[in-house]
Amino acid sequence: MYETDNGVGPPAGPGYQLPVDGPLPDLPLYERLIADGIAEADSRGTIIDHVTARRLAIWLAARPQEPGFAHGLVRFVETGAIHPHLKAELRKHARSPVFPDQPHAARLLRYCNNRGTELGPIGENFAAVCDQIDRADVMLSQFHDRVRHGCVHPEQAWPHADGPRTFALARRDPQTQTVSLVLDATTANVAMFAIAAHADEREAHVREVERSGRSLPEGSYGRRNRQAIAARETRIAARLRAVEQAYRTAIDRDTAYTPPEPARVLRSPELQPGRQIDLEAEP
């Protein structure tokens, strides 16, 4: 649980509940997570995301601040809303080198400015969702620490046996159109098994379609149709294999990951208007 030197929060209140399922990061871990979030934003040339901005607000609120500034920070932590007084205080801190929190205040101010006129609360469960992400990062940090210290892990359990509870968390970044998944080891194994099995089915479909197409005349509609299906199935299978390989690499650091090359890339001629083609919807 995070606390501030101002005695103001984040307390329990409307729209905010203290976490009951696992610890939140302590301030040193928040500093590491903030640094990671800033580095990721800088690498993309974008503004920090909502989660990193909230972590910055928590870090700032944990330092001695004026009551009005602290209250604005806590309000943002709880709801994601940005009060004009908060922006004014951030601007003052960001422009003055006498404040030790000047770099973090400047970064949070850039985030607030990027919000434009959309300064209201961010969803109904902003704090709860961010707390889930923070707790997940605590678990990941603890896991990484155990790995660094060479701790031996027990054999992973499968759903039919006793094991840890299911943990599944997804986070979508609308700016980069990417989705991050955090799964417990058992759930990840099951998911990868399903992905590998689906890739096998797609690859078998490619072989079947190509074999069928070879019996058709060169340049015929039926042959072009099957070439288009095989090309699409090959692309999908390649994506599934990339996910599978990335997972294998994550659990075996001795293997260097390189995205698998598709067996071949087939280009289908453009179909004439009015003709129908027997293609399944591509996910």
Side-chain angles (χ1 to χ4, degrees), residues 46-262:
T46 60
I47 303 297
I48 57 174
D49 58 23
H50 296 318
V51 175
T52 302
R54 183 176 184 263
R55 289 168 175 171
L56 275 172
I58 290 172
W59 186 87
L60 288 168
R63 302 175 65 83
Q65 307 290 0
E66 297 177 358
F69 185 28
H71 179 74
L73 290 168
V74 170
R75 181 182 179 186
F76 175 75
V77 168
E78 293 177 347
T79 67
I82 301 172
H83 192 275
H85 182 72
L86 174 60
K87 290 185 68 174
E89 287 297 317
L90 285 172
R91 192 174 295 109
K92 181 171 67 175
H93 283 235
R95 292 177 177 177
S96 176
V98 302
F99 292 106
D101 54 22
Q102 188 267 344
H104 282 355
R107 183 70 66 160
L108 187 56
L109 177 62
R110 288 176 57 194
Y111 162 85
C112 293
N113 291 336
N114 191 65
R115 290 268 297 268
T117 59
E118 299 179 359
L119 303 179
I122 303 176
E124 297 180 358
N125 301 313
F126 173 68
V129 171
C130 288
D131 281 345
Q132 276 190 300
I133 296 172
D134 288 349
R135 286 195 295 269
D137 282 334
V138 169
M139 294 176 62
L140 290 174
S141 176
Q142 292 171 345
F143 173 75
H144 292 157
D145 288 342
R146 289 197 298 269
V147 171
R148 281 195 295 268
H149 288 87
C151 296
V152 179
H153 299 279
E155 193 69 24
Q156 296 169 341
W158 278 82
H160 62 267
D162 292 336
R165 65 177 181 81
T166 301
F167 183 89
L169 181 66
R171 178 182 174 190
R172 179 177 179 275
D173 187 333
Q175 292 183 327
T176 61
Q177 293 295 302
T178 58
V179 177
S180 302
L181 291 174
V182 179
L183 307 174
D184 64 86
T186 302
T187 303
N189 278 342
V190 174
M192 290 305 113
F193 180 83
I195 287 174
H198 191 44
D200 289 340
E201 293 178 0
R202 294 284 186 171
E203 290 166 348
H205 193 198
V206 170
R207 293 191 294 270
E208 179 183 348
V209 169
E210 288 181 332
R211 184 169 57 251
S212 173
R214 283 194 292 269
S215 64
L216 299 174
E218 185 71 34
S220 66
Y221 171 77
R223 186 160 185 167
R224 289 188 292 111
N225 185 26
R226 284 158 178 77
Q227 288 175 340
I229 294 174
R232 187 210 56 228
E233 294 293 294
T234 298
R235 293 194 300 270
I236 295 173
R239 289 179 181 271
L240 294 171
R241 292 302 185 192
V243 175
E244 180 190 14
Q245 183 60 39
Y247 173 74
R248 300 302 175 193
T249 301
I251 61 176
D252 184 5
R253 292 298 180 182
D254 292 335
T255 303
Y257 169 59
T258 54
E261 292 290 337

